[in-house]
């Protein structure tokens, strides 16, 4: 059993043409343009009216760069950037097999080949038409559920190839869906503007919330500082009161030192003197 192929990248790999843009090849291109002189073409793409690869141009390239090494077997003039003025003149360019118009233009519903169900005037409000298209899609969805349960139509002589109901609903759903997609795509500019306005309003709201939080924090800090200030004043008043009471205590201490200090022996001698005589 073959093993499943591992997907290495979501996007396809670019063409191998980019590996030709090396420093050595670019130097060879400059040498070739110098030897070709003013006759060197500014751009040499492969087109339908010229054979590709241009064997004659490659042969001339090898002859002019005979003294160089590692001259490639493809035309070095392909490394030149495209002419922007030619692209503007032709109205588009092709890259990786896709054709892109300049300026880029979105095709209309009628150009796609589908009936347009909303006004083409961009100034008309399309919201009512989008709601109608949404209702149409929902209605077709519910009808499709019933049509899928019906038996296939039987061909008759009047209608040998009858159209089943589900096929009619599928075509109508496709028309309504394409119209809805195209109408919504035309409102991309309005959507971008509304998105930008919403982002700016959100930024203003966030900045106001941040400023409000900062103001509340500042108020809290001011209350805390005022409380600390009051506490410092109370402590200062208390210290001043203690300083005022200190001289009184010192004077009382000085007065107490004027009283003679009586020792224990003197106290015992005084007690013997005042002791009454025994009868």
């Amino acid at each position: 059993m073959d093993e499943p192929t591992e997907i290495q990248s979501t996007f396809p790999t670019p063409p191998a043409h980019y590996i030709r843009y090396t420093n050595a090849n670019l130097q060879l291109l400059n040498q070739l343009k110098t030897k070709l002189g003013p006759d060197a073409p500014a751009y040499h793409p492969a087109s339908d009216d010229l054979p590709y690869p241009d064997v004659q141009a490659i042969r001339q390239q090898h002859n002019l760069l005979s003294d160089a090494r590692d001259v490639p077997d493809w035309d070095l003039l392909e490394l030149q950037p495209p002419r922007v003025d030619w692209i503007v003149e032709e109205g588009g360019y092709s890259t990786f097999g896709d054709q892109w118009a300049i300026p880029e233009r979105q095709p209309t519903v009628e150009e796609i080949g589908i009936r347009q169900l909303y006004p083409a005037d961009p100034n008309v409000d399309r919201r009512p038409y989008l709601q109608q298209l949404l209702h149409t899609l929902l209605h077709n969805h519910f009808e499709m559920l019933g049509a899928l349960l019906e038996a296939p139509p039987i061909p008759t002589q009047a209608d040998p190839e009858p159209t089943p109901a589900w096929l009619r609903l599928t075509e109508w759903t496709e028309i309504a869906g394409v119209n809805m997609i195209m109408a919504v795509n035309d409102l991309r500019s309005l959507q971008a503007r509304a998105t930008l306005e919403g982002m700016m309003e959100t930024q203003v709201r966030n900045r106001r919330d941040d400023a409000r939080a900062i103001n509340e924090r500042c108020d809290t800090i001011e209350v805390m500082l005022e409380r600390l200030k009051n506490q410092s004043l109370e402590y200062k008043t208390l210290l001043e009161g203690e300083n005022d009471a200190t001289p009184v205590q010192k004077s009382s201490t000085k007065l107490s030192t004027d009283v003679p200090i009586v020792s224990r022996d003197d106290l015992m001698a005084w007690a013997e003197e005042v002791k009454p005589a025994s009868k």
Side-chain angles (χ1 to χ4, degrees):
M1 183 177 179
D2 297 337
E3 296 182 357
T5 304
E6 182 180 358
I7 300 177
Q8 298 180 356
S9 177
T10 306
F11 301 97
T13 56
H17 185 74
Y18 76 95
I19 62 177
R20 297 181 176 181
Y21 288 88
T22 61
N23 294 331
N25 290 338
L26 293 177
Q27 292 178 1
L28 292 175
L29 174 62
N30 293 331
Q31 296 178 13
L32 178 62
K33 292 173 63 177
T34 302
K35 293 186 177 182
L36 287 175
D39 297 334
Y43 181 51
H44 186 70
S47 57
D48 296 337
D49 54 349
L50 293 176
Y52 185 80
D54 192 349
V55 180
Q56 184 177 359
I58 296 175
R59 188 176 303 166
Q60 181 185 11
Q61 169 180 294
H62 280 274
N63 293 333
L64 294 176
L65 300 177
S66 58
D67 55 344
R69 299 177 56 185
D70 299 332
V71 179
D73 294 333
W74 42 269
D75 195 354
L76 287 170
L77 295 177
E78 295 178 0
L79 299 179
Q80 298 185 108
R83 290 282 299 271
V84 180
D85 53 345
W86 290 2
I87 294 176
V88 175
E89 182 180 354
E90 295 177 358
Y93 63 96
S94 61
T95 175
F96 298 155
D98 296 331
Q99 187 71 23
W100 301 88
I102 294 180
E104 186 177 359
R105 178 178 172 274
Q106 186 73 17
T108 62
V109 181
E110 294 181 352
E111 291 177 354
I112 297 177
I114 297 178
R115 177 185 173 187
Q116 187 166 346
L117 302 178
Y118 61 91
D121 188 3
N123 298 323
V124 177
D125 188 7
R126 297 180 180 177
R127 287 176 293 181
Y129 298 95
L130 289 174
Q131 292 180 356
Q132 294 177 5
L133 291 172
L134 179 60
H135 293 164
T136 301
L137 291 174
L138 294 176
H139 180 72
N140 290 346
H141 175 72
F142 290 122
E143 284 195 357
M144 179 70 73
L145 295 178
L148 293 176
L149 299 177
E150 296 179 356
I154 300 175
T156 60
Q157 187 175 2
D159 190 5
E161 295 181 357
T163 302
W166 62 266
L167 181 59
R168 175 179 55 83
L169 292 173
T170 301
E171 294 176 354
W172 186 243
T173 302
E174 181 182 1
I175 294 174
V178 171
N179 276 269
M180 191 171 186
I181 292 174
M182 298 296 290
V184 171
N185 287 336
D186 293 340
L187 299 177
R188 292 295 183 185
S189 57
L190 298 178
Q191 180 185 6
R193 180 177 179 179
T195 303
L196 180 60
E197 291 178 355
M199 292 175 58
M200 296 177 66
E201 291 177 356
T202 303
Q203 292 178 359
V204 172
R205 192 182 309 111
N206 293 337
R207 291 182 179 180
R208 288 178 178 175
D209 294 340
D210 295 341
R212 188 181 302 108
I214 292 173
N215 292 332
E216 293 177 356
R217 190 63 179 174
C218 291
D219 295 340
T220 304
I221 294 175
E222 289 180 358
V223 172
M224 186 182 301
L225 292 176
E226 186 68 22
R227 188 181 306 160
L228 293 175
K229 180 180 178 181
N230 296 334
Q231 291 179 358
S232 63
L233 292 176
E234 293 177 359
Y235 183 70
K236 182 179 180 181
T237 304
L238 182 61
L239 290 178
E240 291 177 353
E242 291 180 355
N243 293 333
D244 295 340
T246 301
V248 178
Q249 294 177 356
K250 289 182 178 179
S251 60
S252 60
T253 304
K254 185 176 181 181
L255 292 175
S256 62
T257 55
D258 295 339
V259 179
I261 300 175
V262 181
S263 63
R264 181 178 180 182
D265 296 337
D266 295 339
L267 182 60
M268 294 300 294
W270 175 79
E272 291 293 336
E273 291 178 358
V274 298
K275 181 179 179 181
S278 58
K279 294 181 179 180

